[in-house]
Amino acid sequence: MMPTNLTLLERKISNNLNCLYFVDHPVYRIQKNHQLVLAPEYASAGRVTAINCDDQQRYHIDFEATKELVLTEKKVVKVTNNMLEQSTSQFLATLGYQFVPNEPVGSAEAAASIPPMLPAASPLNAAPTSYIVIDCEFGTLFRKSGSSKAISWRVQDTAGTHASIFQLSAIGFSQHHQTVPFFNRYFDNPNFLPDELSNQV
C-alpha cells in the first residue's frame, strides 16, 4: 500500500526535462546528468508543502503560493519517502540526484545571491535644507495552502525573506517644515492578515 504522505516525486514530462517535487523545497528540473536546477516556470509557486496519494492512485502536490497539481500514476517516474530521515544531500544522492554546484537550494542561499538594492550611504557634513524622508513599514506575509479538506496558513518565504512592505510613504521637508506628502500608501495585500482571511473562507 502506497503511503499517503510522501517526500519526493519525479514527474515525467514528454519532450522536456523531468521535474522533481521535493517537500520543503522549490521545484527542480532534472538535467540529463541527474543534477538539479531550479525550474523557472515554478518560481511563483514557492516551495512544495505536501505530496499525497489518494485512493485512486492520483498524486496531489501542494505549493505555498499556487493551487495544487494533480498527476495520474502514468506521469510519475519515481515517488518515495525519506524513511531514514537522511539529510537532504544524502537522501538525494541515494536516489541518484545531486544539486548543481552553487545552485541555491534554500532560502538562505537564495537571499545571499540577491545583490543589495541600495548603495551604501555616505555621511553628511551638514544638514540639508530640503530633503525627503522615506518611511517603510514591513509585515509578515502568509500563504494559504492545502486542499478543500484542510486549509492551513504558512509564512511565505520569497527570496529568503518572510516579510514584505505593508505601508510606504514619502514626506518632503523644506527649511525644516513638512511639505505635502508625495504619497502615503497602505498596500492592500490580504496575505498580511491570515486570521481574518481564514474566517472568510
Side-chain angles (χ1 to χ4, degrees), residues 86-128:
Q86 297 171 301
S87 69
T88 296
S89 57
Q90 289 174 329
F91 177 57
L92 291 174
T94 301
L95 299 171
Y97 306 111
Q98 60 179 326
F99 288 113
V100 171
N102 301 321
E103 178 76 5
V105 297
S107 58
E109 293 85 349
S113 67
I114 299 173
M117 296 181 67
L118 296 173
S122 56
L124 297 172
N125 296 323

Side-chain angles (χ1 to χ4, degrees), residues 136-148:
C136 191
E137 296 196 27
F138 294 87
T140 303
L141 278 173
F142 293 82
R143 287 290 186 189
K144 183 170 66 173
S145 63
S147 61
S148 57

Side-chain angles (χ1 to χ4, degrees), residues 125-140:
N125 296 323
T129 56
S130 298
Y131 54 94
I132 298 172
V133 175
I134 304 294
D135 180 35
C136 191
E137 296 196 27
F138 294 87
T140 303

Side-chain angles (χ1 to χ4, degrees), residues 2 4 45 55 57-58 106 109 123-124 126 129 170 187-188 196 200:
M2 178 69 68
T4 55
D55 295 336
Q57 291 298 300
R58 293 178 305 182
E109 293 85 349
L124 297 172
T129 56
F187 290 86
D188 299 323
E196 289 190 17
Q200 298 172 13

Side-chain angles (χ1 to χ4, degrees), residues 156-172:
Q156 179 185 348
D157 184 357
T158 302
T161 182
H162 297 303
S164 188
I165 296 172
F166 182 66
Q167 180 190 9
L168 186 63
S169 62
I171 304 168

Side-chain angles (χ1 to χ4, degrees), residues 44 63-66 141-145 152-158 189 191 194:
S44 63
F63 304 95
E64 282 181 315
T66 57
L141 278 173
F142 293 82
R143 287 290 186 189
K144 183 170 66 173
S145 63
S152 62
W153 289 93
R154 293 183 57 161
V155 174
Q156 179 185 348
D157 184 357
T158 302
N189 189 334
N191 290 328

Side-chain angles (χ1 to χ4, degrees), residues 4-198:
T4 55
N5 296 311
L6 302 158
T7 305
L8 176 146
L9 182 147
E10 180 180 339
R11 175 188 178 188
K12 180 179 180 181
I13 301 178
S14 301
N15 302 320
N16 208 333
L17 299 173
N18 288 356
C19 274
L20 187 76
Y21 304 90
F22 187 17
V23 172
D24 289 330
H25 288 75
V27 181
Y28 297 98
R29 281 278 183 198
I30 306 170
Q31 305 297 300
K32 292 181 180 179
N33 57 3
H34 293 98
Q35 289 188 323
L36 304 176
V37 296
L38 293 175
E41 66 272 27
Y42 282 95
S44 63
R47 289 182 286 189
V48 176
T49 58
I51 303 172
N52 295 289
C53 183
D54 63 22
D55 295 336
Q56 299 173 347
Q57 291 298 300
R58 293 178 305 182
Y59 296 91
H60 300 258
I61 304 170
D62 295 325
F63 304 95
E64 282 181 315
T66 57
K67 64 181 182 179
E68 71 172 2
L69 173 67
V70 181
L71 300 174
T72 59
E73 191 174 13
K74 66 180 182 179
K75 294 183 180 179
V76 175
V77 177
K78 184 183 298 181
V79 63
T80 187
N81 264 339
N82 188 1
M83 301 291 286
L84 301 177
E85 298 185 357
Q86 297 171 301
S87 69
T88 296
S89 57
Q90 289 174 329
F91 177 57
L92 291 174
T94 301
L95 299 171
Y97 306 111
Q98 60 179 326
F99 288 113
V100 171
N102 301 321
E103 178 76 5
V105 297
S107 58
E109 293 85 349
S113 67
I114 299 173
M117 296 181 67
L118 296 173
S122 56
L124 297 172
N125 296 323
T129 56
S130 298
Y131 54 94
I132 298 172
V133 175
I134 304 294
D135 180 35
C136 191
E137 296 196 27
F138 294 87
T140 303
L141 278 173
F142 293 82
R143 287 290 186 189
K144 183 170 66 173
S145 63
S147 61
S148 57
K149 297 178 183 176
I151 296 174
S152 62
W153 289 93
R154 293 183 57 161
V155 174
Q156 179 185 348
D157 184 357
T158 302
T161 182
H162 297 303
S164 188
I165 296 172
F166 182 66
Q167 180 190 9
L168 186 63
S169 62
I171 304 168
F173 288 86
S174 178
Q175 303 296 328
H176 307 295
H177 295 285
Q178 180 178 335
T179 63
V180 177
F182 286 90
F183 60 87
N184 184 18
R185 182 182 174 195
Y186 286 90
F187 290 86
D188 299 323
N189 189 334
N191 290 328
F192 284 114
L193 305 170
D195 293 334
E196 289 190 17
L197 267 185
S198 61

